[in-house]
Coordinates of all heavy atoms in Angstrom, one line a residue:
Y1 N -87.4 118.0 36.2 CA -87.5 118.7 37.4 C -86.5 119.8 37.5 O -85.3 119.5 37.2 CB -87.3 117.8 38.6 CG -87.3 118.4 39.9 CD1 -88.4 118.9 40.5 CD2 -86.1 118.5 40.6 CE1 -88.4 119.6 41.7 CE2 -86.1 119.2 41.9 CZ -87.3 119.7 42.4 OH -87.2 120.4 43.6
N2 N -86.9 121.0 37.7 CA -86.0 122.2 37.9 C -85.9 122.5 39.3 O -86.8 123.1 39.9 CB -86.6 123.3 37.0 CG -85.6 124.5 37.0 OD1 -84.7 124.6 37.9 ND2 -85.7 125.4 36.1
A3 N -84.8 122.2 39.9 CA -84.6 122.4 41.4 C -84.6 123.9 41.7 O -85.0 124.3 42.8 CB -83.3 121.9 41.8
E4 N -84.3 124.8 40.8 CA -84.4 126.2 41.1 C -85.8 126.7 41.3 O -86.0 127.6 42.1 CB -83.8 127.1 39.9 CG -82.3 126.9 39.8 CD -81.7 127.7 38.6 OE1 -82.5 128.3 37.9 OE2 -80.5 127.7 38.5
L5 N -86.7 126.1 40.7 CA -88.1 126.4 40.8 C -88.8 125.8 42.0 O -89.9 126.2 42.4 CB -88.9 126.2 39.6 CG -88.5 126.9 38.3 CD1 -89.2 126.5 37.1 CD2 -88.5 128.4 38.6
G6 N -88.2 124.7 42.5 CA -88.9 124.0 43.6 C -89.9 122.9 43.2 O -90.3 122.9 42.0
R7 N -90.4 122.1 44.1 CA -91.3 121.0 43.7 C -92.6 121.5 43.2 O -93.3 120.8 42.4 CB -91.5 120.1 44.9 CG -90.2 119.3 45.3 CD -90.6 118.2 46.3 NE -89.4 117.6 46.7 CZ -88.8 116.6 46.0 NH1 -89.4 116.1 44.9 NH2 -87.8 116.0 46.4
N8 N -93.1 122.7 43.6 CA -94.4 123.2 43.1 C -94.4 123.7 41.7 O -95.5 123.6 41.1 CB -94.9 124.2 44.1 CG -95.2 123.7 45.5 OD1 -95.5 122.5 45.6 ND2 -95.1 124.5 46.5
N9 N -93.3 124.2 41.2 CA -93.3 124.8 39.9 C -92.3 124.1 39.0 O -92.2 124.5 37.8 CB -93.0 126.2 40.1 CG -94.1 127.0 40.8 OD1 -95.2 126.9 40.4 ND2 -93.7 127.8 41.7
G10 N -91.4 123.3 39.5 CA -90.3 122.8 38.7 C -90.5 121.4 38.1 O -89.6 120.8 37.5
M11 N -91.7 120.9 38.0 CA -92.0 119.6 37.4 C -92.1 119.7 35.9 O -92.6 120.6 35.4 CB -93.2 119.0 38.0 CG -93.1 118.8 39.5 SD -91.6 117.9 40.1 CE -92.0 116.3 39.6
V12 N -91.7 118.6 35.3 CA -91.8 118.5 33.8 C -93.3 118.4 33.4 O -94.0 117.6 34.0 CB -91.0 117.3 33.3 CG1 -91.2 117.0 31.9 CG2 -89.5 117.4 33.6
R13 N -93.6 119.1 32.4 CA -94.9 119.0 31.7 C -94.7 118.2 30.5 O -94.1 118.7 29.5 CB -95.6 120.4 31.5 CG -95.8 121.1 32.8 CD -96.3 122.5 32.6 NE -96.4 123.2 33.8 CZ -95.4 123.9 34.4 NH1 -94.2 123.9 33.9 NH2 -95.6 124.5 35.5
I14 N -95.3 117.0 30.4 CA -95.1 116.1 29.3 C -95.6 116.8 28.0 O -94.8 116.7 27.0 CB -95.8 114.7 29.5 CG1 -95.3 114.0 30.7 CG2 -95.7 113.8 28.3 CD1 -93.8 113.8 30.7
A15 N -96.7 117.3 27.9 CA -97.2 117.9 26.7 C -96.3 119.0 26.2 O -96.0 119.1 25.0 CB -98.7 118.5 26.9
E16 N -95.8 119.9 27.1 CA -94.9 121.0 26.8 C -93.6 120.4 26.2 O -93.0 120.9 25.3 CB -94.7 121.9 27.9 CG -93.8 123.1 27.7 CD -93.5 123.9 28.9 OE1 -93.4 123.3 30.0 OE2 -93.4 125.1 28.7
T17 N -93.1 119.4 26.9 CA -91.9 118.7 26.5 C -92.0 118.2 25.1 O -91.1 118.3 24.3 CB -91.4 117.6 27.5 OG1 -91.3 118.3 28.8 CG2 -90.2 117.0 27.1
M18 N -93.1 117.5 24.8 CA -93.3 116.9 23.5 C -93.4 118.0 22.4 O -92.9 117.8 21.3 CB -94.5 116.1 23.5 CG -94.4 114.8 24.3 SD -92.8 113.9 24.0 CE -93.0 113.3 22.4
R19 N -94.0 119.2 22.7 CA -93.9 120.3 21.8 C -92.5 120.8 21.5 O -92.2 121.1 20.3 CB -94.8 121.5 22.3 CG -96.3 121.2 22.1 CD -97.1 122.5 22.3 NE -96.9 123.1 23.6 CZ -97.5 122.8 24.8 NH1 -98.4 121.8 24.8 NH2 -97.3 123.4 25.9
F20 N -91.7 120.8 22.5 CA -90.3 121.2 22.4 C -89.6 120.2 21.5 O -88.8 120.5 20.7 CB -89.6 121.3 23.7 CG -90.0 122.4 24.6 CD1 -89.8 122.4 26.0 CD2 -90.6 123.6 24.1 CE1 -90.2 123.4 26.8 CE2 -91.0 124.6 24.9 CZ -90.8 124.6 26.3
V21 N -89.8 118.9 21.7 CA -89.2 117.8 20.9 C -89.6 118.0 19.4 O -88.8 117.9 18.5 CB -89.5 116.5 21.4 CG1 -89.1 115.4 20.4 CG2 -88.9 116.3 22.8
E22 N -90.9 118.2 19.2 CA -91.4 118.4 17.8 C -90.7 119.6 17.2 O -90.3 119.5 16.0 CB -92.9 118.6 17.9 CG -93.5 118.7 16.5 CD -95.0 118.8 16.6 OE1 -95.7 118.3 17.5 OE2 -95.6 119.4 15.7
L23 N -90.6 120.7 17.9 CA -90.0 121.9 17.3 C -88.6 121.7 17.0 O -88.0 122.1 16.0 CB -90.2 123.1 18.3 CG -89.5 124.4 17.9 CD1 -90.2 124.9 16.6 CD2 -89.7 125.4 19.0
A24 N -87.8 121.0 18.0 CA -86.4 120.8 17.8 C -86.2 119.9 16.5 O -85.2 120.1 15.7 CB -85.8 120.1 19.0
R25 N -87.1 118.9 16.3 CA -87.0 118.0 15.2 C -87.2 118.8 13.9 O -86.5 118.6 12.9 CB -87.9 116.9 15.3 CG -87.5 115.8 16.3 CD -88.5 114.7 16.5 NE -88.0 113.7 17.3 CZ -88.8 112.8 17.9 NH1 -90.0 112.8 17.7 NH2 -88.2 111.9 18.8
K26 N -88.2 119.7 13.9 CA -88.5 120.4 12.8 C -87.4 121.4 12.4 O -87.0 121.5 11.2 CB -89.8 121.2 13.0 CG -90.2 122.1 11.8 CD -91.5 122.8 12.2 CE -91.9 123.8 11.1 NZ -93.1 124.5 11.4
Q27 N -86.8 122.1 13.3 CA -85.7 123.1 13.1 C -84.4 122.5 13.0 O -83.5 123.1 12.4 CB -85.7 124.1 14.3 CG -86.9 124.9 14.5 CD -86.7 125.9 15.7 OE1 -87.2 127.0 15.6 NE2 -86.0 125.5 16.7
G28 N -84.1 121.3 13.6 CA -82.9 120.7 13.7 C -82.1 121.2 14.9 O -80.9 120.7 15.1
Y29 N -82.6 122.1 15.7 CA -81.9 122.5 16.9 C -83.0 123.0 17.9 O -84.2 123.1 17.5 CB -81.0 123.7 16.6 CG -81.7 125.0 16.1 CD1 -82.0 126.0 17.0 CD2 -81.9 125.1 14.7 CE1 -82.6 127.1 16.5 CE2 -82.6 126.3 14.3 CZ -82.9 127.3 15.2 OH -83.5 128.4 14.8
F30 N -82.6 123.3 19.1 CA -83.5 123.8 20.1 C -83.0 124.9 20.9 O -81.8 125.0 21.1 CB -83.9 122.7 21.1 CG -84.9 123.1 22.1 CD1 -86.3 123.2 21.7 CD2 -84.6 123.3 23.4 CE1 -87.2 123.7 22.7 CE2 -85.5 123.7 24.4 CZ -86.8 123.9 24.0
E31 N -83.8 125.9 21.2 CA -83.4 127.1 22.0 C -84.1 126.9 23.4 O -85.3 126.8 23.5 CB -83.9 128.3 21.5 CG -83.2 128.7 20.1 CD -83.7 130.0 19.5 OE1 -83.6 131.0 20.2 OE2 -84.3 129.9 18.4
S32 N -83.3 126.9 24.5 CA -83.9 126.7 25.8 C -84.4 127.9 26.4 O -85.1 127.9 27.5 CB -82.9 126.0 26.7 OG -81.8 126.8 27.0
D33 N -84.1 129.1 25.9 CA -84.6 130.4 26.4 C -85.2 130.5 27.8 O -86.4 130.4 27.9 CB -85.6 130.8 25.3 CG -85.9 132.3 25.3 OD1 -85.3 133.0 26.2 OD2 -86.6 132.8 24.4
S34 N -84.4 130.6 28.8 CA -84.8 130.7 30.2 C -85.5 129.5 30.7 O -86.3 129.6 31.7 CB -85.7 132.0 30.4 OG -84.9 133.1 30.2
L35 N -85.4 128.4 30.1 CA -86.1 127.2 30.5 C -85.6 126.6 31.8 O -86.4 126.3 32.7 CB -86.0 126.1 29.4 CG -86.7 124.8 29.6 CD1 -88.2 125.0 29.6 CD2 -86.4 123.8 28.5
S36 N -84.3 126.6 32.0 CA -83.7 126.0 33.2 C -83.4 127.2 34.2 O -83.6 127.1 35.4 CB -82.5 125.2 32.9 OG -81.9 124.8 34.0
T37 N -82.7 128.2 33.7 CA -82.3 129.3 34.5 C -82.8 130.6 33.9 O -82.5 130.9 32.7 CB -80.7 129.4 34.6 OG1 -80.3 128.1 35.2 CG2 -80.3 130.5 35.5
A38 N -83.5 131.4 34.7 CA -84.0 132.7 34.1 C -82.9 133.6 33.6 O -81.9 133.8 34.2 CB -84.7 133.4 35.2
G39 N -83.2 134.0 32.4 CA -82.2 134.9 31.7 C -81.0 134.3 31.0 O -80.3 134.9 30.3
S40 N -81.0 133.0 31.0 CA -79.9 132.2 30.3 C -80.6 131.1 29.4 O -81.7 130.7 29.6 CB -79.0 131.4 31.3 OG -78.3 132.4 32.1
G41 N -79.8 130.8 28.4 CA -80.4 129.8 27.4 C -79.3 129.1 26.7 O -78.1 129.4 26.9
V42 N -79.7 128.2 25.8 CA -78.8 127.4 25.1 C -79.5 127.2 23.7 O -80.6 127.0 23.6 CB -78.5 126.1 25.7 CG1 -77.6 125.2 24.8 CG2 -77.8 126.2 27.0
I43 N -78.7 127.3 22.6 CA -79.1 126.9 21.3 C -78.3 125.6 21.1 O -77.0 125.6 21.0 CB -78.8 127.9 20.2 CG1 -79.6 129.2 20.5 CG2 -79.1 127.3 18.8 CD1 -79.3 130.3 19.5
A44 N -79.0 124.4 20.8 CA -78.2 123.2 20.8 C -78.8 122.2 19.8 O -79.9 122.3 19.4 CB -78.3 122.5 22.2
T45 N -78.0 121.3 19.3 CA -78.4 120.2 18.5 C -77.7 118.9 18.8 O -76.9 118.9 19.8 CB -78.1 120.6 17.0 OG1 -78.8 119.7 16.1 CG2 -76.6 120.5 16.7
L46 N -78.0 117.8 18.1 CA -77.3 116.5 18.4 C -76.3 116.3 17.4 O -76.4 116.7 16.2 CB -78.4 115.4 18.3 CG -79.5 115.4 19.3 CD1 -80.5 114.2 19.0 CD2 -78.9 115.2 20.7
L47 N -75.2 115.6 17.9 CA -74.1 115.1 17.0 C -74.3 113.6 17.0 O -74.4 112.9 18.0 CB -72.8 115.5 17.6 CG -72.5 116.9 17.9 CD1 -71.1 117.0 18.5 CD2 -72.5 117.7 16.6
S48 N -74.3 113.0 15.8 CA -74.3 111.6 15.7 C -72.8 111.2 15.6 O -72.1 111.5 14.7 CB -74.9 111.2 14.4 OG -74.9 109.8 14.3
T49 N -72.4 110.5 16.7 CA -70.9 110.1 16.7 C -70.7 108.8 16.0 O -71.6 108.1 15.6 CB -70.5 109.9 18.2 OG1 -71.1 108.7 18.7 CG2 -70.8 111.1 19.0
R50 N -69.5 108.5 15.8 CA -69.1 107.3 15.1 C -68.9 106.2 16.0 O -68.5 105.1 15.7 CB -67.8 107.6 14.3 CG -68.1 108.5 13.1 CD -66.8 108.7 12.3 NE -67.1 109.6 11.2 CZ -66.9 110.9 11.1 NH1 -66.4 111.5 12.2 NH2 -67.3 111.6 10.1
I51 N -69.2 106.4 17.3 CA -69.0 105.4 18.3 C -70.4 104.7 18.6 O -71.2 105.3 19.3 CB -68.4 106.0 19.6 CG1 -67.1 106.7 19.3 CG2 -68.2 104.9 20.7 CD1 -66.6 107.6 20.5
R52 N -70.6 103.6 18.0 CA -71.8 102.8 18.2 C -73.0 103.6 17.9 O -74.1 103.4 18.5 CB -71.8 102.2 19.6 CG -70.8 101.1 19.8 CD -70.8 100.6 21.2 NE -69.9 101.5 21.9 CZ -69.8 101.6 23.2 NH1 -70.6 100.8 23.9 NH2 -69.0 102.4 23.8
G53 N -73.0 104.7 17.1 CA -74.2 105.4 16.7 C -74.8 106.3 17.8 O -76.0 106.6 17.8
Q54 N -74.0 106.5 18.9 CA -74.5 107.3 20.0 C -74.6 108.8 19.6 O -74.0 109.3 18.7 CB -73.5 107.2 21.1 CG -73.4 105.8 21.7 CD -74.7 105.3 22.2 OE1 -75.4 105.9 23.0 NE2 -75.1 104.1 21.8
Y55 N -75.5 109.5 20.3 CA -75.7 110.9 20.1 C -75.1 111.7 21.2 O -75.2 111.3 22.4 CB -77.2 111.3 19.9 CG -77.8 110.8 18.7 CD1 -78.4 109.6 18.6 CD2 -77.7 111.6 17.5 CE1 -79.0 109.2 17.4 CE2 -78.2 111.2 16.4 CZ -78.9 110.0 16.3 OH -79.4 109.6 15.1
L56 N -74.5 112.9 20.9 CA -74.1 113.8 21.9 C -74.7 115.2 21.6 O -75.0 115.5 20.4 CB -72.5 114.0 21.8 CG -71.7 112.7 22.1 CD1 -70.2 113.1 21.8 CD2 -71.9 112.3 23.5
G57 N -74.9 116.0 22.6 CA -75.4 117.3 22.4 C -74.3 118.3 22.3 O -73.2 118.2 22.9
V58 N -74.5 119.3 21.4 CA -73.5 120.4 21.3 C -74.3 121.7 21.2 O -75.4 121.7 20.6 CB -72.6 120.2 20.1 CG1 -73.3 120.3 18.8 CG2 -71.5 121.3 20.1
G59 N -73.9 122.7 21.9 CA -74.7 124.0 21.8 C -73.8 125.1 22.3 O -72.6 125.0 22.7
V60 N -74.4 126.3 22.2 CA -73.8 127.5 22.7 C -74.8 128.1 23.7 O -76.0 128.2 23.4 CB -73.4 128.5 21.5 CG1 -74.7 128.8 20.7 CG2 -72.7 129.7 22.0
G61 N -74.3 128.6 24.8 CA -75.1 129.1 25.8 C -74.7 130.6 26.2 O -73.6 131.0 25.9
G62 N -75.6 131.3 26.8 CA -75.4 132.7 27.2 C -76.6 133.4 27.6 O -77.7 132.8 27.8
P63 N -76.5 134.7 27.9 CA -77.7 135.5 28.3 C -78.7 135.4 27.1 O -78.3 135.6 25.9 CB -77.1 136.8 28.5 CG -75.7 136.6 28.7 CD -75.3 135.4 27.9
V64 N -80.0 135.3 27.4 CA -81.0 135.2 26.4 C -81.0 136.4 25.4 O -81.1 136.1 24.2 CB -82.4 135.1 27.0 CG1 -83.5 135.2 26.0 CG2 -82.5 133.7 27.7
P65 N -80.8 137.6 25.8 CA -80.7 138.7 24.8 C -79.7 138.5 23.7 O -79.9 138.8 22.6 CB -80.6 140.0 25.6 CG -81.1 139.6 27.0 CD -80.8 138.2 27.2
R66 N -78.5 138.1 24.2 CA -77.4 137.8 23.2 C -77.7 136.7 22.3 O -77.4 136.7 21.1 CB -76.1 137.6 24.0 CG -75.5 138.9 24.5 CD -74.1 138.9 24.7 NE -73.6 137.8 25.4 CZ -72.6 137.7 26.4 NH1 -72.0 138.9 26.6 NH2 -72.3 136.7 27.0
L67 N -78.3 135.6 22.8 CA -78.7 134.5 22.0 C -79.7 134.9 20.9 O -79.6 134.5 19.8 CB -79.2 133.3 22.8 CG -78.2 132.6 23.8 CD1 -78.9 131.6 24.6 CD2 -77.2 131.9 22.9
R68 N -80.7 135.7 21.4 CA -81.7 136.1 20.4 C -81.1 137.1 19.3 O -81.4 136.9 18.2 CB -82.8 136.9 21.1 CG -83.7 136.0 22.0 CD -84.7 136.8 22.7 NE -85.6 136.0 23.5 CZ -86.4 136.4 24.4 NH1 -86.5 137.7 24.7 NH2 -87.1 135.5 25.1
Q69 N -80.2 137.9 19.7 CA -79.6 138.8 18.8 C -78.7 138.1 17.8 O -78.8 138.4 16.6 CB -78.7 139.8 19.6 CG -78.0 140.8 18.7 CD -77.0 141.7 19.5 OE1 -76.9 141.6 20.7 NE2 -76.5 142.7 18.8
G70 N -78.1 137.0 18.2 CA -77.2 136.2 17.3 C -77.8 134.9 16.8 O -77.1 134.0 16.3
R71 N -79.1 134.8 17.0 CA -79.8 133.5 16.7 C -79.4 132.9 15.3 O -79.1 131.7 15.3 CB -81.3 133.7 16.8 CG -82.1 132.4 16.4 CD -83.6 132.6 16.3 NE -84.0 132.7 17.7 CZ -84.7 133.7 18.2 NH1 -85.1 134.7 17.4 NH2 -85.2 133.7 19.5
L72 N -79.5 133.6 14.3 CA -79.2 133.1 12.9 C -77.8 132.6 12.8 O -77.6 131.4 12.3 CB -79.6 134.1 11.9 CG -81.0 134.5 11.7 CD1 -81.1 135.6 10.7 CD2 -81.9 133.3 11.5
V73 N -76.9 133.3 13.3 CA -75.5 132.9 13.2 C -75.2 131.7 14.1 O -74.5 130.8 13.7 CB -74.5 134.1 13.5 CG1 -73.1 133.7 13.6 CG2 -74.7 135.2 12.4
L74 N -75.7 131.8 15.3 CA -75.4 130.8 16.3 C -76.1 129.5 15.9 O -75.5 128.4 16.0 CB -75.9 131.2 17.7 CG -75.1 132.4 18.3 CD1 -75.8 132.9 19.6 CD2 -73.7 132.1 18.5
A75 N -77.3 129.5 15.5 CA -78.0 128.3 15.1 C -77.3 127.7 13.9 O -77.1 126.4 13.9 CB -79.5 128.6 14.7
E76 N -76.9 128.5 12.9 CA -76.1 127.9 11.8 C -74.8 127.3 12.2 O -74.5 126.3 11.7 CB -75.9 128.9 10.7 CG -75.2 128.4 9.5 CD -75.9 127.1 8.9 OE1 -77.2 127.1 8.8 OE2 -75.2 126.2 8.5
A77 N -74.1 127.9 13.2 CA -72.9 127.3 13.6 C -73.1 126.0 14.4 O -72.3 125.0 14.2 CB -72.2 128.3 14.6
V78 N -74.2 125.9 15.2 CA -74.5 124.7 15.9 C -74.8 123.6 14.8 O -74.4 122.5 14.9 CB -75.6 124.9 16.9 CG1 -76.2 123.6 17.4 CG2 -75.1 125.7 18.1
L79 N -75.7 123.9 13.9 CA -76.1 123.0 12.8 C -74.9 122.5 12.0 O -74.7 121.4 11.6 CB -77.2 123.5 12.0 CG -78.5 123.7 12.7 CD1 -79.5 124.5 11.7 CD2 -79.1 122.4 13.1
A80 N -74.0 123.4 11.7 CA -72.7 123.1 10.9 C -71.9 122.1 11.8 O -71.4 121.1 11.2 CB -71.9 124.3 10.6
A81 N -71.8 122.3 13.1 CA -71.0 121.4 13.9 C -71.8 120.0 13.9 O -71.1 118.9 13.8 CB -71.0 121.9 15.3
G82 N -73.0 120.0 13.9 CA -73.8 118.7 13.8 C -73.6 118.0 12.5 O -73.4 116.8 12.5
R83 N -73.5 118.7 11.4 CA -73.3 118.1 10.1 C -71.9 117.6 9.9 O -71.6 116.7 9.2 CB -73.6 119.1 9.0 CG -75.1 119.4 8.8 CD -75.4 120.3 7.6 NE -74.7 121.5 7.7 CZ -75.3 122.7 8.1 NH1 -76.6 122.6 8.5 NH2 -74.7 123.8 8.1
A84 N -71.0 118.2 10.7 CA -69.5 117.8 10.5 C -69.2 116.5 11.1 O -68.1 116.0 10.8 CB -68.7 118.9 11.1
C85 N -70.1 116.0 11.9 CA -69.7 114.7 12.6 C -70.4 113.5 11.9 O -71.4 113.5 11.3 CB -70.3 114.7 14.0 SG -69.3 115.8 15.1

């Protein structure tokens, strides 16, 4: 649910969410590109911690145009952080 969009437009769409999950698994990371807040986004991945095998998310966020411009460098940095754990 996205409170910024309100009850009529902010509800999760399961099929869309599953496409996002599939894409994230394929790429190893996900770009949220205005998903939650218009004009802002995050490039993120999971970190497998050494504490009972739990996962944590790590990412870099900012204005969508800057994320798109630096996509290759930012995605690689996020993936490198994920591999380091």
Side-chain angles (χ1 to χ4, degrees):
Y1 174 72
N2 185 341
E4 291 180 357
L5 297 178
R7 292 193 182 275
N8 294 331
N9 296 309
M11 300 308 287
V12 172
R13 293 173 187 86
I14 299 301
E16 180 181 39
T17 300
M18 294 312 296
R19 283 193 303 275
F20 290 158
V21 169
E22 183 179 331
L23 179 62
R25 287 177 175 162
K26 181 179 176 182
Q27 296 180 148
Y29 66 94
F30 183 72
E31 295 179 60
S32 67
D33 201 354
S34 293
L35 184 64
S36 177
T37 301
S40 296
V42 175
I43 297 175
T45 194
L46 293 176
L47 303 177
S48 179
T49 69
R50 294 182 176 95
I51 304 169
R52 292 175 273 165
Q54 298 296 309
Y55 288 95
L56 298 174
V58 63
V60 59
V64 169
R66 283 201 312 215
L67 291 174
R68 287 179 181 165
Q69 181 181 4
R71 175 182 287 126
L72 295 177
V73 171
L74 296 171
E76 183 51 42
V78 166
L79 290 170
R83 289 189 298 267
C85 290

